[in-house]
Every structure is written in C-alpha cells, then in structure tokens.
Amino acid sequence: MLPKKLQQKLDKRKAKNSLRKLGVQTNLIDFSSNDYLGFSKNKLIYNAAHQYLISNNLEQNGATGSRLLSGNHALYNTLEQTLCEFYNTKAALIYNSGYDANIGFFSSVPQRGDIVLFDEFIHASIRDGIKMSDAKAYKFEHNNLEDLQKKLIRFTEKNTTEFEIYIVTESVFSMDGDTPNLKSLAKLSQKFKAKLIIDEAHAVGVFGDLGCGLVQKLELENAVFARVVTFGKAIGCHGAAILCSHNLKQYLINFSRSFIYTTGLSPHSIATITQAYVQFFTLKFTVVNPIQELQNNILFFKAEMLRLNLKHLFIESNSSIHCCIVSGNEKAKYMSEQFQQKNFSIKAILSPTVPETKERLRFCLHSYNSQSEITKVLELLSTFVAKTHL
C-alpha cells in the first residue's frame, strides 16, 4: 500500500481537480506543443542527422557513459563550437535537459553567503536548483525592476562580508509568455555588480537573427553571466546548454553534479541538434523562413484577439505563448475538453502549477499553424467564453 501521507496528498489533488495524468499523443490541430518551428517533424533534419552519424562513423545507440568517462564522443565538441558561433559566446556546455542545466548551475555556482534574487514566476527547475544551493534566495515581484532594486539596495547596504549577488529571470516566461525589460535589467545588474542569468528556453527560435534569442537580439551577451538555451522547444529535439565564459565552463565540469553524474546524450541526439542548427544557418538563404512565418502568426493571433474582443482575457505577450485566464481548475479543464471535441489541442494549465484563480488556457503558436486555424480557434474561444460567462 502507498504510505498514508502520500495517499493523502493524492486525495487532496483529486479533491481540487488538479490531479496530473499522462495523456496520449493525438492528431489534433496543434496549439499546445513547444515545437514552435516544426523542427521535431522536419524530415531534412531527420535524414541529415542519420547521414551525419554515418559520415562520422558513429553508428551506435548510446553514449556509453558520462562525458567525463566514456561518453564524450567527438560530436559534442563540434556542437559546442557551433553553439559558440551561433550565440556569440565564448564557451558552451551541453546538458541532458533544461532541468539538468538549471539544477546543475544553481546547485553549484551560488556559494554560502551569496544571494540569489529570482523572479517570482521563475521555472520550477531553477527553484529546485536554488533549493539545493547553500546561498540565500529571495524572490522579487514578477518583472518588477523597482522591487528588485529595493532588494539590491537592502542587501548591498547590510552585507559587509565578501559575497556575490545572482539575479535570475527568463527572457520569455513559459506560463505567461511575457518578457522582462532585459536592457534595464542588465543595467541594474551592472550597477550593483550582480551576475545576471537568463533562461532563454522559450526565446530561442522565436526572437533574434536566425532565432538566436532575446539576449543576442538586444546585444546583451557581454552583460550576462550565463544563458541557458534548450533544445526541446523550437530546436525540436532534447537537451540544453549553458552559454558562458571558459572559466565558468571549467567550473561546471568540475562541480555541477547533474553534468558529472549522468550518462551523456546519445550520438543521435547530438547529431539531430547539430543538424537543427545547420538548418538555422541556412535560413538566411531561404525564401520560406519558419521564424518569419511564426512571427506573422503571432501578429495575426493578436489582431484576431482584438477583433473578437478577447484581449482583456489574455496576458500581454509578443511571444509564441498566449495565455487566456480561466479562473478555476474545473472551468479550465472543461474548456480544454471542448476544444478537443472540435479537433484542437489547447492545454489547461491548472493550480498548483499556476496560482489559484490564475488557471488558464495556454495557446502555443507555431510556424505551421494556418491563419484559418488561428481564426477558428479564437472564434471557438469566444463561443466558449460566452457559454461559461468568463
């Protein structure tokens, strides 16, 4: 039998209609995945990755060990060099996932006596990493630089010992789709000599020249201590990388436990990621650019939202993620099911993933969504809103 305390926690979730369950993949019209550019189904990338493995004599299924033992196959170094060129960074270190990268960074870099200031809406992986650190951590109000500055003043005035301050945020927030003022944030970090870390998971492939993200688009590479980029969203594969200095990379290799004590990614995963970046590099020569198609769809979605008088229900966003607030788990789940019956995949984001009363329908836009699909899904939303008195 399951221990009583565990069963009670499950029962509590059921009572709140917030019990998570694994679903099955469907062929519904996709407004829910993070595959913003359709790269996960791109046959050119798939076939090129296979040929790349053959050309490099790496016809094997697994990495065979951690990167510090037997798993650091040659494709790793090639990809990390490619990432340095693409993201205009001095060094890059590949991890098995974005979760591993954030756990590995925040559990090992901030030291005892240091302070971590994090946006209150930061991703769970960053929160978990911070919890594993010996540093003290404090949240600041979401995208509120005034609140952050007050905390910076308070901690710098009080502290007389040697310490570091780390500020962490996302360039695009996964549950809201909104963006902080990164230029002002960088200036504030420099003013207080704090080290700025930006998670670019939902900005890569969406913003910037060839999809390089917001940090690079705003030319803030040198103002940021570290960037986290992931390969499971617009890149269409799996894994992540920390972009940083050579010294920080060396430190992470020696002290980041989620990097040290895990089997490396398979050669096939590395090959797929590599070929996805080859695809990015070729976009400058192509007529059909999926990043531009995505941007066009974002603008069209926002225009249709206005036309149908739905804007007041949505959190302001210029990204691929647009969230319609639907207070209550039951109502959010009901509306999601209604969309499924109409052949659309729209996910309900429930509490406790988001705060109570802030439950929502999360619309993820892609380069391959047609304008007629966007119009239809928002017209359906308008109908459902009227029925449920949202």
Side-chain angles (χ1 to χ4, degrees):
M1 289 181 63
L2 193 67
K4 185 178 179 180
K5 290 179 181 178
L6 305 189
Q7 188 61 54
Q8 287 174 340
K9 293 179 79 171
L10 279 177
D11 292 342
K12 188 176 179 181
R13 282 281 171 92
K14 290 176 184 176
K16 289 189 172 183
N17 203 16
S18 60
L19 187 69
R20 296 184 177 102
K21 295 179 182 179
L22 292 174
V24 294
Q25 196 167 15
T26 66
N27 291 319
L28 301 178
I29 298 169
D30 183 10
F31 279 94
S32 62
S33 81
N34 294 325
D35 187 24
Y36 302 129
L37 303 176
F39 275 17
S40 73
K41 302 176 183 68
N42 187 300
K43 290 184 178 180
L44 286 175
I45 294 173
Y46 180 88
N47 292 328
H50 179 70
Q51 189 57 50
Y52 186 62
L53 289 171
I54 294 172
S55 301
N56 284 273
N57 196 29
L58 266 171
E59 298 174 70
Q60 65 185 64
N61 295 320
T64 76
S66 74
R67 289 187 65 185
L68 288 168
L69 295 176
S70 59
N72 195 41
H73 45 83
L75 300 190
Y76 264 114
N77 294 328
T78 302
L79 176 55
E80 286 176 344
Q81 290 170 12
T82 298
L83 295 175
C84 288
E85 181 183 351
F86 186 82
Y87 291 110
N88 188 29
T89 184
K90 291 181 173 62
L93 184 65
I94 293 171
Y95 283 75
N96 285 12
S97 69
Y99 194 95
D100 283 335
N102 281 327
I103 286 281
F105 182 95
F106 288 99
S107 65
S108 66
V109 173
Q111 301 294 296
R112 188 179 301 279
D114 291 344
I115 292 170
V116 181
L117 300 176
F118 62 94
D119 188 291
E120 64 179 333
F121 288 177
I122 208 70
H123 194 268
S125 59
I126 298 174
R127 284 178 174 266
D128 289 352
I130 291 171
K131 286 179 183 177
M132 296 167 68
S133 165
D134 290 326
K136 292 183 178 180
Y138 305 89
K139 66 183 178 183
F140 59 91
E141 293 175 9
H142 179 53
N143 287 344
N144 189 331
L145 297 189
E146 288 185 11
D147 185 51
L148 173 59
Q149 180 165 311
K150 287 177 184 176
K151 288 179 169 60
L152 285 165
I153 292 170
R154 175 156 58 97
F155 291 121
T156 51
E157 283 180 347
K158 279 185 177 181
N159 229 319
T160 56
T161 58
E162 185 177 341
F163 70 104
E164 297 287 351
I165 295 179
Y166 296 90
I167 299 171
V168 55
T169 190
E170 300 176 36
S171 55
V172 174
F173 280 84
S174 59
M175 287 297 112
D176 284 35
D178 58 350
T179 298
N181 186 328
L182 291 177
K183 284 191 173 182
S184 296
L185 183 58
K187 288 178 181 177
L188 191 61
S189 300
Q190 289 171 336
K191 178 181 177 180
F192 287 89
K193 298 181 181 178
K195 290 181 166 47
L196 181 60
I197 303 101
I198 307 290
D199 189 322
E200 290 250 80
H202 293 276
V204 168
V206 180
F207 295 104
D209 186 28
L210 305 183
C212 59
L214 277 171
V215 169
Q216 200 167 336
K217 178 182 179 181
L218 298 172
E219 299 180 344
L220 297 174
E221 301 98 303
N222 295 328
V224 175
F225 182 61
R227 278 178 280 170
V228 180
V229 297
T230 60
F231 309 133
K233 278 76 176 178
I235 309 301
C237 189
H238 191 70
I242 293 177
L243 313 178
C244 57
S245 66
H246 290 292
N247 286 342
L248 180 52
K249 177 178 178 177
Q250 187 177 46
Y251 177 86
L252 292 169
I253 290 170
N254 280 274
F255 294 99
S256 178
R257 294 169 72 86
S258 63
F259 174 84
I260 298 167
Y261 299 110
T262 189
T263 300
L265 288 170
S266 70
H268 188 272
S269 289
I270 299 298
T272 304
I273 297 163
T274 301
Q275 293 308 310
Y277 279 95
V278 169
Q279 193 79 358
F280 275 127
F281 279 118
T282 61
L283 289 181
K284 64 181 76 174
F285 307 112
T286 60
V287 176
V288 180
N289 185 325
I291 299 174
Q292 188 57 56
E293 291 178 331
L294 172 59
Q295 288 297 325
N296 292 342
N297 280 345
I298 292 169
L299 291 174
F300 185 74
F301 186 93
K302 288 168 71 77
E304 288 294 86
M305 192 195 306
L306 276 173
R307 181 180 69 84
L308 294 165
N309 195 30
L310 295 169
K311 188 181 181 211
H312 65 288
L313 299 174
F314 281 84
I315 298 169
E316 181 62 33
S317 169
N318 294 313
S319 73
S320 299
I321 300 166
H322 294 262
C323 292
C324 174
I325 299 299
V326 180
S327 182
N329 283 345
E330 189 172 341
K331 189 179 288 186
K333 288 174 74 172
Y334 170 78
M335 292 180 72
S336 175
E337 289 164 2
Q338 292 299 301
F339 275 113
Q340 289 180 38
Q341 291 178 17
K342 298 294 185 180
N343 205 37
F344 286 93
S345 178
I346 311 290
K347 296 301 182 186
I349 308 299
L350 312 175
S351 57
T353 300
V354 293
E356 289 188 12
T357 75
K358 296 295 183 181
E359 295 84 4
R360 64 200 59 185
L361 296 170
R362 184 172 182 259
F363 294 78
C364 292
L365 304 179
H366 312 89
S367 61
Y368 49 84
N369 291 133
S370 68
Q371 290 193 350
S372 62
E373 289 171 348
I374 292 171
T375 295
K376 179 63 175 176
V377 81
L378 285 175
E379 287 177 345
L380 283 171
L381 176 63
S382 183
T383 302
F384 298 155
V385 165
K387 286 181 179 178
T388 56
H389 307 291
L390 196 61

